Amino acid sequence: MAKGPRSRILSAYLAWSDRATNFGEQTLARRLAQGKEDGDRLAERRGQSVLPRPDGPLVWFHAASVGESVSLLEMIRRMGEERPDLSFLLTTGTVTSATVLAERLPERTVHQYVPLDVRPWLRRFLDHWTPDLVVLAEGEIWPGMLHEVTSREVPVAMINARMTDASFRRWRWARGAATSLLARINHVQAQDKATADRLLALGLSQTRLEVTGTLKEGSGALPDNEAERGHLTALLAGRPCWLAASTHPGEEALAAEAHAQGLKSWHKLLLIIAPRHPERGPNIAATLRRDGWKVALRSADDEIGAETQIYVADTVGEMGMWYRLCPVTFLGGSLVDVGGHNPFEPAALGSAILHGPHVGNFADIFDRLRAARAVRLVTADTLGDAVTQVLEPDQAAGMAHAAWEVCSEGADVTEKAMDLLFAMLDGVD
């Protein structure tokens, strides 16, 4: 494999990473104190594992966090069905991702926290797991990791690659380092042309790149606890409801204002708020109560009563249930400048989608959904009107069906990724 041009910045980083164990320990201690690490599994972040390596070929998938890792599960399941000899290692870096994955891992798949980018820890990790193929999801590139893997002649693929303009601008300041690192990746499948253009501008060879679309289009629908959903449906007793999903600070207040407007037309309407970061739930509930709302909090085991106006669903791993319960979803991270979240999750489960203007993280997907009239763009001032209108059954059903059709068009993305990875495993370049 070509190693690319030498980069002084990269050489300096790698030399630092060789001696960064003290820095790594300090980082872990700080993150543990902040609640960002799992104390019972902290050794994994140092490259240590109590789990044995399975026999036979092993594919190592790495994803940054929840969304990226969940998008891989359907493909891992299908790869395992086609190749019973394969085992899979899935690494992430967040506690939330480990919680979500705990009950959803396909057969012959184990989860580990990824080591920090400290080369002695990475060597320990690779000595134990000895993967036959490494697959990076979206854009998670750590120089130490990539150098240690490729120094052992392990092939590397990047699938579902996405590079935002902000990330591109950061890498452009270290273009030599970016070019050297990209030269170590055998194949890249990009989500969209914008990402492909940015990777090419950073020095990735055109022969190693293809645009395939987003893997999230081909991922399975989010899971559902059918018994619990039945319980909640009984509590709703026919009440209409809508969902504010993956909300960020500032959006809960806007959703409440829209809810007040919706209540004028839809009596007994219930708003379910599922914040992007569930730990914010108690504060969200307290703020809404101070504003006069009657609020139930899921983490406190509050039930939905006849008087409940807003239900704060501050839990992990239950989004599939909320999308199934609510015919209309406002997708958060879009009325504040976050960049939006994955619209295929509600689309796959029949919930009509409302979104704000800030959807740059999924711009190509939202463009396709808007062209199909499958989503509706709102502002803080128009969200209430949109909720009121789209709650009409014919409106919600029409939008949801159009979104599902767009979602289904991308099912071949998973097939393309699987074909690539099987070919790499079999040594076909």
Side-chain angles (χ1 to χ4, degrees):
M1 176 189 299
K3 302 304 184 191
R6 294 183 63 84
S7 161
R8 291 182 180 179
I9 293 175
L10 183 57
S11 296
Y13 176 90
L14 293 172
W16 170 84
S17 178
D18 262 329
R19 303 185 297 273
T21 52
N22 287 339
F23 175 82
E25 293 291 358
Q26 293 169 7
T27 300
L28 290 177
R30 182 180 69 252
R31 288 177 55 83
L32 184 63
Q34 294 170 339
K36 295 180 179 180
E37 295 289 345
D38 182 343
D40 293 334
R41 297 175 59 182
L42 202 62
E44 293 174 28
R45 299 289 258 158
R46 304 185 185 98
Q48 300 169 318
S49 178
V50 298
L51 300 178
R53 186 212 189 273
D55 294 332
L58 177 73
V59 183
W60 172 20
F61 287 88
H62 175 64
S65 190
V66 177
E68 297 90 339
S69 58
V70 168
S71 72
L72 297 172
L73 295 180
E74 177 69 8
M75 186 176 70
I76 292 173
R77 182 190 65 78
R78 291 176 59 184
M79 287 182 69
E81 288 180 349
E82 289 196 28
R83 288 277 299 270
D85 61 315
L86 292 181
S87 296
F88 306 94
L89 170 66
L90 177 56
T91 60
T92 60
T94 66
V95 175
T96 302
S97 62
T99 303
V100 170
L101 293 171
E103 298 180 358
R104 300 183 58 183
L105 291 175
E107 291 185 14
R108 306 191 308 281
T109 305
V110 295
H111 172 266
Q112 294 280 275
Y113 287 110
V114 69
L116 297 191
D117 206 43
V118 176
R119 294 179 79 181
W121 294 354
L122 290 161
R123 293 181 191 119
R124 179 190 294 156
F125 176 87
L126 291 168
D127 286 345
H128 177 77
W129 291 104
T130 60
D132 296 275
L133 173 65
V134 175
V135 185
L136 307 177
E138 298 214 5
E140 185 83 343
I141 300 176
W142 287 100
M145 174 200 291
L146 197 51
H147 267 255
E148 290 302 319
V149 167
T150 55
S151 70
R152 300 174 186 229
E153 302 298 329
V154 180
V156 180
M158 179 181 288
I159 62 173
N160 210 33
R162 179 169 65 91
M163 178 172 283
T164 64
D165 187 55
S167 294
F168 173 66
R169 288 197 301 270
R170 288 194 297 270
W171 276 111
R172 193 169 54 186
W173 286 104
R175 188 180 184 280
T179 301
S180 179
L181 290 170
L182 290 171
R184 291 175 175 268
I185 301 176
N186 298 74
H187 297 282
V188 177
Q189 291 185 337
Q191 291 189 19
D192 50 48
K193 185 177 183 299
T195 289
D197 290 343
R198 289 163 185 154
L199 291 171
L200 291 171
L202 292 174
L204 179 65
S205 170
Q206 179 73 66
T207 61
R208 299 181 179 213
L209 174 67
E210 62 177 326
V211 178
T212 58
T214 174
L215 191 64
K216 292 175 181 177
E217 297 180 42
S219 60
L222 293 177
D224 176 39
N225 184 328
E226 191 171 347
E228 179 63 12
R229 178 159 54 91
H231 171 66
L232 291 168
T233 300
L235 291 177
L236 286 171
R239 292 177 61 183
C241 61
W242 68 289
L243 174 66
S246 295
T247 55
H248 291 258
E251 290 182 319
E252 294 85 17
L254 296 175
E257 291 176 11
H259 189 55
Q261 189 168 344
L263 280 166
K264 296 175 183 177
S265 300
W266 295 89
H267 304 298
K268 298 185 179 180
L269 180 64
L270 176 72
L271 166 60
I272 299 176
I273 296 178
R276 183 66 173 182
H277 302 288
E279 65 272 13
R280 297 180 52 240
N283 286 336
I284 293 170
T287 300
L288 291 170
R289 286 169 179 149
R290 284 197 298 269
D291 291 339
W293 292 101
K294 295 177 181 177
V295 181
L297 182 65
R298 185 158 181 79
S299 64
D301 293 326
D302 296 342
E303 292 275 28
I304 298 173
E307 75 288 349
T308 305
Q309 297 170 308
I310 300 177
Y311 187 52
V312 178
D314 55 336
T315 49
V316 173
E318 294 191 310
M319 290 307 301
M321 183 166 64
W322 309 130
Y323 288 135
R324 287 175 172 89
L325 273 174
C326 299
V328 177
T329 293
F330 162 68
L331 201 53
S334 62
L335 283 177
V336 294
D337 194 3
V338 169
H341 294 295
N342 179 17
F344 283 121
E345 292 179 353
L349 294 173
S351 190
I353 302 166
L354 311 176
H355 69 91
H358 302 291
V359 292
N361 291 342
F362 298 89
D364 179 63
I365 300 171
F366 274 100
D367 285 345
R368 290 163 51 200
L369 288 167
R370 278 194 295 272
R373 297 184 179 179
V375 295
R376 182 177 295 193
L377 173 64
V378 300
T379 66
D381 293 332
T382 62
L383 177 58
D385 279 338
V387 169
T388 301
Q389 294 168 15
V390 177
L391 276 169
E392 293 291 346
D394 59 335
Q395 286 270 338
M399 288 175 63
H401 180 71
W404 182 86
E405 287 190 328
V406 173
C407 180
S408 300
E409 289 170 2
D412 64 340
V413 178
T414 298
E415 293 285 349
K416 290 178 182 177
M418 289 172 57
D419 288 345
L420 169 65
L421 300 185
F422 283 143
M424 293 178 69
L425 279 168
D426 295 336
V428 180
D429 195 2

